Amino acid sequence: MAATAKYNRSNPAVKRILQEVKEMQSNPSPDFMALPLEEDIFEWQFAILGPRDSEFEGGIYHGRIQLPSDYPFKPPSFMLLTPSGRFEIKKKICLSISNYHPEHWQPSWSVRTALVALIAFMPTNPGGALGSLDYKKEDRQALAIKSREAPPKFGSPERQKLIDEIHEQMLSKAPPVPQVLPNGTNEESNHLPAPDSFVENADRADEGGNTVGSVSGSLNDLTGPESEMGVAENTVEPPVAEVTNPHLPEASHRENSPRVPLAPQNPVVAIQKPKHDRLLTLAAFGLTLAIMALVIKKFLKINGLAGFIEGKF
């Protein structure tokens, strides 16, 4: 960069800019490219790739950065040159990293930091900010495709030459614009079994007498073999009872009555004692009372109270 010889390298702004140029060239980013003009290192041309997984993906968006004379103590200004549907073109945009908000700027930030932040701002809600647009997703994607065709036209031949070089470099590493399938949601539904399959399985269940097994077979078509193993290990089939209709003949209500699954219940065993066991219990109880009466009588006799008990006083 021969033109830099005219700048005072002891100037803090010039010294900082030259450091950033060297750092940008030694450590290029796959998401953006930026270079200053040879005649004015305070003006940079840049291009960023649209952020992935957004309507801007695959697009190449050019712009201009104007650094202030007291950079990096004051923030730069940004201008987009490529239509994106997110920012107006050839107009300074309002960002927290731009000269519209100098209170947010940090001198430790750089052109690289600003471009990373700009890419992050692309898919956010514009919120009515100055220089912002809010196009539909389909329109933004169409502009992303169009941005790859040719670089924008802007400024002097020197600027245009630098813009063309940057565009060629970015186009070589830009991913293709993803195509949105209009009926993408229908593809997933094609993998699901038709509702008629459940009816067929139910008919087979009525014929074979195994309703639970037929329905689980239909569920396996949806969940796959792995889920089938999990269901087989953790599922217990409840007993099935028939709801009968007393007004129908026995043969007909067996065929037409619905099969209602019952909740599993713990069996209750009722043990009924025979009569002779009861008599033995009563006899044992009476014998116990008689023994207790004899013990009490003997106790009173020893203590001289037997006559009182027998009524001999």
Side-chain angles (χ1 to χ4, degrees), residues 56-73:
F56 306 101
E57 182 175 1
I60 302 174
Y61 304 98
H62 289 262
R64 186 189 74 167
I65 299 176
Q66 186 67 47
L67 302 177
S69 58
D70 50 357
Y71 179 80
F73 302 103

mmCIF file of all heavy atoms in Angstrom, residues 56-73:
data_model
loop_
_atom_site.group_PDB
_atom_site.id
_atom_site.type_symbol
_atom_site.label_atom_id
_atom_site.label_comp_id
_atom_site.label_asym_id
_atom_site.label_seq_id
_atom_site.Cartn_x
_atom_site.Cartn_y
_atom_site.Cartn_z
ATOM 1 N N PHE A 56 -31.068 -14.501 4.680
ATOM 2 C CA PHE A 56 -29.932 -13.829 4.037
ATOM 3 C C PHE A 56 -28.822 -14.799 3.662
ATOM 4 O O PHE A 56 -27.834 -14.385 3.050
ATOM 5 C CB PHE A 56 -29.364 -12.756 4.975
ATOM 6 C CG PHE A 56 -30.375 -11.765 5.474
ATOM 7 C CD1 PHE A 56 -30.908 -11.877 6.742
ATOM 8 C CD2 PHE A 56 -30.813 -10.729 4.669
ATOM 9 C CE1 PHE A 56 -31.838 -10.973 7.215
ATOM 10 C CE2 PHE A 56 -31.743 -9.822 5.134
ATOM 11 C CZ PHE A 56 -32.268 -9.937 6.409
ATOM 12 N N GLU A 57 -28.959 -16.060 4.009
ATOM 13 C CA GLU A 57 -27.889 -17.029 3.785
ATOM 14 C C GLU A 57 -27.538 -17.137 2.298
ATOM 15 O O GLU A 57 -28.425 -17.238 1.450
ATOM 16 C CB GLU A 57 -28.287 -18.408 4.319
ATOM 17 C CG GLU A 57 -27.203 -19.454 4.170
ATOM 18 C CD GLU A 57 -27.578 -20.777 4.804
ATOM 19 O OE1 GLU A 57 -28.695 -20.878 5.342
ATOM 20 O OE2 GLU A 57 -26.755 -21.714 4.755
ATOM 21 N N GLY A 58 -26.257 -17.105 2.011
ATOM 22 C CA GLY A 58 -25.784 -17.189 0.634
ATOM 23 C C GLY A 58 -25.639 -15.853 -0.053
ATOM 24 O O GLY A 58 -25.030 -15.770 -1.125
ATOM 25 N N GLY A 59 -26.200 -14.791 0.543
ATOM 26 C CA GLY A 59 -26.097 -13.465 -0.052
ATOM 27 C C GLY A 59 -24.754 -12.809 0.218
ATOM 28 O O GLY A 59 -24.081 -13.116 1.205
ATOM 29 N N ILE A 60 -24.345 -11.892 -0.675
ATOM 30 C CA ILE A 60 -23.113 -11.119 -0.526
ATOM 31 C C ILE A 60 -23.501 -9.651 -0.461
ATOM 32 O O ILE A 60 -24.031 -9.098 -1.427
ATOM 33 C CB ILE A 60 -22.143 -11.369 -1.695
ATOM 34 C CG1 ILE A 60 -21.808 -12.859 -1.801
ATOM 35 C CG2 ILE A 60 -20.868 -10.553 -1.523
ATOM 36 C CD1 ILE A 60 -20.970 -13.210 -3.015
ATOM 37 N N TYR A 61 -23.232 -9.020 0.668
ATOM 38 C CA TYR A 61 -23.703 -7.661 0.922
ATOM 39 C C TYR A 61 -22.511 -6.729 1.097
ATOM 40 O O TYR A 61 -21.720 -6.875 2.030
ATOM 41 C CB TYR A 61 -24.595 -7.637 2.164
ATOM 42 C CG TYR A 61 -25.753 -8.601 2.060
ATOM 43 C CD1 TYR A 61 -25.679 -9.861 2.655
ATOM 44 C CD2 TYR A 61 -26.909 -8.275 1.350
ATOM 45 C CE1 TYR A 61 -26.736 -10.757 2.548
ATOM 46 C CE2 TYR A 61 -27.967 -9.161 1.247
ATOM 47 C CZ TYR A 61 -27.869 -10.404 1.845
ATOM 48 O OH TYR A 61 -28.916 -11.297 1.736
ATOM 49 N N HIS A 62 -22.412 -5.781 0.172
ATOM 50 C CA HIS A 62 -21.306 -4.818 0.184
ATOM 51 C C HIS A 62 -21.698 -3.577 0.976
ATOM 52 O O HIS A 62 -22.884 -3.256 1.128
ATOM 53 C CB HIS A 62 -20.934 -4.411 -1.248
ATOM 54 C CG HIS A 62 -20.260 -5.495 -2.023
ATOM 55 N ND1 HIS A 62 -18.890 -5.567 -2.168
ATOM 56 C CD2 HIS A 62 -20.772 -6.556 -2.701
ATOM 57 C CE1 HIS A 62 -18.583 -6.622 -2.905
ATOM 58 N NE2 HIS A 62 -19.711 -7.237 -3.252
ATOM 59 N N GLY A 63 -20.649 -2.894 1.463
ATOM 60 C CA GLY A 63 -20.878 -1.652 2.187
ATOM 61 C C GLY A 63 -19.608 -0.856 2.341
ATOM 62 O O GLY A 63 -18.525 -1.272 1.902
ATOM 63 N N ARG A 64 -19.769 0.297 2.986
ATOM 64 C CA ARG A 64 -18.631 1.194 3.193
ATOM 65 C C ARG A 64 -18.544 1.563 4.667
ATOM 66 O O ARG A 64 -19.568 1.789 5.323
ATOM 67 C CB ARG A 64 -18.788 2.468 2.365
ATOM 68 C CG ARG A 64 -17.578 3.390 2.419
ATOM 69 C CD ARG A 64 -17.855 4.729 1.775
ATOM 70 N NE ARG A 64 -18.730 5.571 2.621
ATOM 71 C CZ ARG A 64 -18.920 6.870 2.408
ATOM 72 N NH1 ARG A 64 -18.357 7.456 1.355
ATOM 73 N NH2 ARG A 64 -19.710 7.557 3.188
ATOM 74 N N ILE A 65 -17.320 1.609 5.173
ATOM 75 C CA ILE A 65 -17.055 2.059 6.541
ATOM 76 C C ILE A 65 -16.227 3.338 6.465
ATOM 77 O O ILE A 65 -15.191 3.363 5.788
ATOM 78 C CB ILE A 65 -16.289 0.993 7.348
ATOM 79 C CG1 ILE A 65 -17.105 -0.297 7.438
ATOM 80 C CG2 ILE A 65 -15.968 1.503 8.749
ATOM 81 C CD1 ILE A 65 -16.365 -1.430 8.147
ATOM 82 N N GLN A 66 -16.663 4.356 7.180
ATOM 83 C CA GLN A 66 -15.917 5.612 7.254
ATOM 84 C C GLN A 66 -15.413 5.775 8.681
ATOM 85 O O GLN A 66 -16.194 5.916 9.625
ATOM 86 C CB GLN A 66 -16.803 6.799 6.866
ATOM 87 C CG GLN A 66 -16.067 8.120 6.781
ATOM 88 C CD GLN A 66 -15.056 8.151 5.636
ATOM 89 O OE1 GLN A 66 -15.354 7.766 4.507
ATOM 90 N NE2 GLN A 66 -13.839 8.604 5.937
ATOM 91 N N LEU A 67 -14.077 5.721 8.838
ATOM 92 C CA LEU A 67 -13.478 5.861 10.155
ATOM 93 C C LEU A 67 -13.234 7.336 10.462
ATOM 94 O O LEU A 67 -12.789 8.100 9.582
ATOM 95 C CB LEU A 67 -12.155 5.098 10.224
ATOM 96 C CG LEU A 67 -12.231 3.594 9.927
ATOM 97 C CD1 LEU A 67 -10.839 2.991 9.950
ATOM 98 C CD2 LEU A 67 -13.134 2.890 10.921
ATOM 99 N N PRO A 68 -13.489 7.762 11.713
ATOM 100 C CA PRO A 68 -13.241 9.167 12.064
ATOM 101 C C PRO A 68 -11.756 9.452 12.238
ATOM 102 O O PRO A 68 -10.938 8.529 12.376
ATOM 103 C CB PRO A 68 -14.000 9.320 13.394
ATOM 104 C CG PRO A 68 -13.992 7.954 13.989
ATOM 105 C CD PRO A 68 -14.067 6.995 12.831
ATOM 106 N N SER A 69 -11.401 10.707 12.258
ATOM 107 C CA SER A 69 -9.985 11.083 12.375
ATOM 108 C C SER A 69 -9.421 10.721 13.737
ATOM 109 O O SER A 69 -8.196 10.540 13.860
ATOM 110 C CB SER A 69 -9.825 12.593 12.121
ATOM 111 O OG SER A 69 -10.610 13.338 13.049
ATOM 112 N N ASP A 70 -10.267 10.648 14.770
ATOM 113 C CA ASP A 70 -9.799 10.285 16.099
ATOM 114 C C ASP A 70 -10.122 8.823 16.441
ATOM 115 O O ASP A 70 -10.298 8.475 17.605
ATOM 116 C CB ASP A 70 -10.375 11.222 17.164
ATOM 117 C CG ASP A 70 -11.872 11.382 17.041
ATOM 118 O OD1 ASP A 70 -12.469 10.807 16.096
ATOM 119 O OD2 ASP A 70 -12.473 12.063 17.895
ATOM 120 N N TYR A 71 -10.218 7.988 15.412
ATOM 121 C CA TYR A 71 -10.397 6.548 15.606
ATOM 122 C C TYR A 71 -9.166 5.992 16.336
ATOM 123 O O TYR A 71 -8.049 6.463 16.066
ATOM 124 C CB TYR A 71 -10.550 5.871 14.237
ATOM 125 C CG TYR A 71 -10.727 4.379 14.267
ATOM 126 C CD1 TYR A 71 -11.962 3.809 14.543
ATOM 127 C CD2 TYR A 71 -9.650 3.529 14.022
ATOM 128 C CE1 TYR A 71 -12.120 2.433 14.565
ATOM 129 C CE2 TYR A 71 -9.803 2.148 14.045
ATOM 130 C CZ TYR A 71 -11.040 1.601 14.322
ATOM 131 O OH TYR A 71 -11.197 0.257 14.346
ATOM 132 N N PRO A 72 -9.301 5.080 17.270
ATOM 133 C CA PRO A 72 -10.490 4.302 17.644
ATOM 134 C C PRO A 72 -11.281 4.862 18.823
ATOM 135 O O PRO A 72 -12.064 4.118 19.429
ATOM 136 C CB PRO A 72 -9.873 2.961 18.019
ATOM 137 C CG PRO A 72 -8.585 3.327 18.670
ATOM 138 C CD PRO A 72 -8.087 4.549 17.949
ATOM 139 N N PHE A 73 -11.053 6.130 19.147
ATOM 140 C CA PHE A 73 -11.754 6.692 20.302
ATOM 141 C C PHE A 73 -13.171 7.137 19.956
ATOM 142 O O PHE A 73 -13.971 7.390 20.856
ATOM 143 C CB PHE A 73 -10.933 7.861 20.863
ATOM 144 C CG PHE A 73 -9.543 7.460 21.268
ATOM 145 C CD1 PHE A 73 -8.455 7.775 20.454
ATOM 146 C CD2 PHE A 73 -9.312 6.759 22.432
ATOM 147 C CE1 PHE A 73 -7.172 7.401 20.814
ATOM 148 C CE2 PHE A 73 -8.027 6.391 22.795
ATOM 149 C CZ PHE A 73 -6.954 6.707 21.989
#
